[in-house]
Amino acid sequence: MKEVIVIGGGIIGLCSAYYLHKEGHQVTIIDQSSMDYGASYVNAGYLTPSHIIPLAAPGVMKKGLKWMFNPSSPLFIKPRLNADFLRWSWAFNKSCSVKNVERSITAIKDINIMGRDLYSEIKQQEKFKFQLERKGLLMLCQTEKMLEEEVSVAKIAEKEGLPVRELSLNELKALEPNVQCNAKGAVLYECDGHTTPQLFMEEMKAYLKASGVTFHKNEKVYDITIEDEKIIAIQTKNKTYKADEFVLAAGSWSNILSKKLGIKLLLEAGKGYRINSERNLGITMPTILAEAKVAITPMQGFTRFAGTMEIAGINHNINKVRVEAIAKATHNYYPDIELSTQEKNDAACGLRPVSPDGMAYIGKSSKCKNLTIATGHAMMGWSMGPSTGKLVSEIISDKKPSLHLDVFHPDRRF
């Protein structure tokens, strides 16, 4: 049994704590926030084996440069004269390659399938009540060009063994009979699931507290003491904490702490937004509006509209232009749906940690023997939460990891 401190109380931190507790370790979670907001609470709730293509793919940097002057675009990269941002941008550009996609596909699929199945296992074992459905995921397309692109990705997914099929307009209407839809066609990934994130987070926090996991909220880690390539202690404003092992799962803030250890963790915060509507809008299927990159999820008691990737540093400022872009895209695809001013005013955002190649960092750096890094999941942190947590616990418990982790290694070169 080891004493383990998990830095970060989002989905990755909680799942790491859960599986570490299951292995018999004594776990403490330290988080700088009140642990009730952020990316783990405002995401689309998708469990996505279908998302086999990493963010860094051919043509993405070109699109990013084109969209740089359009604040309502799906991907908005704000240029900054900041050394970390410039290093990340250079590495991101290099990673937007066929080679990066090819080496990532199977790894992304496997860790997503593992995560999806572990959600079901957790719910069954702990008798949790959070929403968990396996209806699949629709990729809704308005243009022939986008439909062709989605069909080509679907063929790759099919080769990877994922159940997926193209839908005709009649099949689409049969699947979503209660809402008018403006589209050319769709691709349905039958392998995907969805949840209501806050319900899972609340149940998991309650379970961990009842199980003896210690929580320290609103405690920011300011300093780290190191001896012989090992963390001896971490300091917050009010206290010094010691442990045998440490987990860095601080999301978009992880690279700030990694610098104190001499680890160059290239990471940028990718802001995403969500709008909730408690009205009955007729949408029953989780759907991505393919051209607009907007995700729509029928959650427990409301429908969530989420989207955009805004790489503009660490801040929680609400950009109303981007919120409006989500609402406009929704109306464009579903002409009968008009999100209200109040719904848009109540929009929230969260920061997703994005690595240059779009792949998570999972594992130990050679520069610190008792630190396990778990961050950089980009848009798939929710889907990969339980699988990452289990992998973290296997690493710390000196067990053979369930998946090959080379592609996720924190020391990989870009």
Side-chain angles (χ1 to χ4, degrees), residues 17 20 27 50 59 86 203 271 322-324 332 370:
L20 285 164
V27 186
S50 66
L86 293 173
E203 282 192 290
K271 189 189 294 180
R322 301 189 71 71
V323 173
E324 194 60 48
N332 190 17
N370 64 340

Side-chain angles (χ1 to χ4, degrees), residues 204-259:
M204 181 57 85
K205 285 186 291 187
Y207 170 86
L208 292 173
K209 286 176 186 174
S211 301
V213 172
T214 304
F215 284 72
H216 293 286
K217 301 178 185 178
N218 301 305
E219 289 239 29
K220 184 177 181 179
V221 176
Y222 284 99
D223 206 3
I224 302 173
T225 305
I226 308 158
E227 286 181 18
D228 298 324
E229 296 182 336
K230 290 185 77 173
I231 298 173
I232 303 301
I234 60 172
Q235 287 84 36
T236 65
K237 188 176 181 180
N238 301 312
K239 197 171 177 182
T240 298
Y241 295 91
K242 296 185 176 183
D244 303 309
E245 294 277 347
F246 296 81
V247 179
L248 181 56
S252 297
W253 291 263
S254 297
N255 64 330
I256 298 169
L257 293 173
S258 72
K259 283 181 186 176

Side-chain angles (χ1 to χ4, degrees), residues 22-258:
K22 288 290 184 181
E23 288 289 339
H25 302 297
Q26 186 178 329
V27 186
T28 298
I29 297 173
I30 299 175
D31 193 279
Q32 65 181 357
S33 76
S34 53
M35 289 179 62
D36 56 6
Y37 67 92
S40 295
Y41 295 84
V42 304
N43 65 82
Y46 290 163
L47 313 180
T48 51
S50 66
H51 282 32
I52 54 174
I53 308 297
L55 181 62
V60 172
M61 193 64 176
K62 187 178 177 182
K63 280 183 183 176
L65 290 170
K66 187 177 78 173
W67 286 337
M68 195 177 283
F69 304 101
N70 179 5
S72 64
S73 62
L75 171 63
F76 178 59
I77 302 175
K78 182 180 180 180
R80 284 164 285 143
L81 286 175
N82 171 282
D84 288 342
F85 170 74
L86 293 173
R87 277 193 291 268
W88 180 90
S89 299
W90 178 257
F92 180 71
N93 184 47
K94 280 176 66 181
S95 298
C96 288
S97 65
V98 172
K99 184 180 176 183
N100 182 52
V101 171
E102 288 177 345
R103 78 186 181 96
S104 304
I105 284 174
T106 301
I108 294 175
K109 179 200 70 175
D110 289 346
I111 195 170
N112 267 308
I113 288 174
M114 182 180 169
R116 179 200 65 189
D117 295 346
L118 287 175
Y119 271 107
S120 298
E121 190 177 288
I122 291 169
K123 183 170 184 177
Q124 186 177 13
Q125 283 188 359
E126 313 308 342
K127 297 183 169 52
F128 284 177
K129 293 181 169 37
F130 68 93
Q131 178 205 24
L132 178 61
E133 296 187 58
R134 282 278 296 277
K135 287 183 172 181
L137 177 66
L138 275 175
M139 303 297 297
L140 199 60
C141 305
Q142 286 191 321
T143 63
E144 291 292 348
K145 185 185 176 190
M146 183 54 73
L147 190 57
E148 284 174 15
E149 285 181 26
E150 289 300 334
V151 168
S152 67
V153 174
K155 286 176 181 174
I156 298 170
E158 203 168 32
K159 284 180 185 174
E160 287 288 324
L162 298 175
V164 55
R165 60 192 174 96
E166 186 180 354
L167 299 184
S168 67
L169 283 178
N170 286 336
E171 288 173 316
L172 181 59
K173 285 173 184 173
L175 196 61
E176 282 285 37
N178 301 318
V179 61
Q180 185 185 347
C181 182
N182 178 16
K184 290 279 185 187
V187 169
L188 173 62
Y189 287 93
E190 297 168 323
C191 48
D192 287 16
H194 70 284
T195 62
T196 300
Q198 182 149 348
L199 299 180
F200 177 83
M201 293 294 286
E202 296 302 334
E203 282 192 290
M204 181 57 85
K205 285 186 291 187
Y207 170 86
L208 292 173
K209 286 176 186 174
S211 301
V213 172
T214 304
F215 284 72
H216 293 286
K217 301 178 185 178
N218 301 305
E219 289 239 29
K220 184 177 181 179
V221 176
Y222 284 99
D223 206 3
I224 302 173
T225 305
I226 308 158
E227 286 181 18
D228 298 324
E229 296 182 336
K230 290 185 77 173
I231 298 173
I232 303 301
I234 60 172
Q235 287 84 36
T236 65
K237 188 176 181 180
N238 301 312
K239 197 171 177 182
T240 298
Y241 295 91
K242 296 185 176 183
D244 303 309
E245 294 277 347
F246 296 81
V247 179
L248 181 56
S252 297
W253 291 263
S254 297
N255 64 330
I256 298 169
L257 293 173
S258 72

Side-chain angles (χ1 to χ4, degrees), residues 206-411:
Y207 170 86
L208 292 173
K209 286 176 186 174
S211 301
V213 172
T214 304
F215 284 72
H216 293 286
K217 301 178 185 178
N218 301 305
E219 289 239 29
K220 184 177 181 179
V221 176
Y222 284 99
D223 206 3
I224 302 173
T225 305
I226 308 158
E227 286 181 18
D228 298 324
E229 296 182 336
K230 290 185 77 173
I231 298 173
I232 303 301
I234 60 172
Q235 287 84 36
T236 65
K237 188 176 181 180
N238 301 312
K239 197 171 177 182
T240 298
Y241 295 91
K242 296 185 176 183
D244 303 309
E245 294 277 347
F246 296 81
V247 179
L248 181 56
S252 297
W253 291 263
S254 297
N255 64 330
I256 298 169
L257 293 173
S258 72
K259 283 181 186 176
K260 297 179 184 294
L261 302 164
I263 300 170
K264 291 180 181 176
L265 207 61
L266 293 181
L267 208 62
E268 282 293 316
K271 189 189 294 180
Y273 295 84
R274 71 97 179 107
I275 306 169
N276 291 342
S277 177
E278 295 181 4
R279 294 175 289 143
N280 182 6
L281 300 173
I283 297 172
T284 61
M285 283 294 296
T287 303
I288 290 180
L289 312 180
E291 288 88 354
K293 305 291 186 282
V294 169
I296 302 175
T297 317
M299 294 189 177
Q300 193 164 308
F302 59 95
T303 304
R304 173 162 291 174
F305 303 83
T308 84
M309 175 65 82
E310 178 185 330
I311 295 174
I314 292 181
N315 67 77
H316 282 92
N317 302 331
I318 300 290
N319 184 333
K320 300 219 167 175
V321 173
R322 301 189 71 71
V323 173
E324 194 60 48
I326 293 171
K328 283 180 179 175
T330 301
H331 181 64
N332 190 17
Y333 285 76
Y334 299 105
D336 292 341
I337 296 177
E338 191 88 54
L339 294 173
S340 72
T341 300
Q342 187 59 55
E343 288 165 343
K344 289 183 282 189
N345 287 342
D346 290 339
C349 68
L351 301 176
R352 300 160 294 191
V354 184
S355 71
D357 59 0
M359 299 293 284
Y361 295 115
I362 306 171
K364 287 184 180 289
S365 168
S366 60
K367 296 190 176 178
C368 191
K369 297 171 185 173
N370 64 340
L371 175 73
T372 302
I373 295 170
T375 188
H377 296 74
M379 298 93 69
M380 290 181 277
W382 187 258
S383 188
M384 298 178 181
S387 43
T388 301
K390 189 170 180 65
L391 291 164
V392 165
S393 77
E394 289 169 345
I395 292 165
I396 290 174
S397 302
D398 301 314
K399 292 185 170 183
K400 183 182 178 182
S402 298
L403 301 174
H404 293 294
L405 294 177
D406 289 352
V407 74
F408 301 111
H409 201 290
D411 292 342

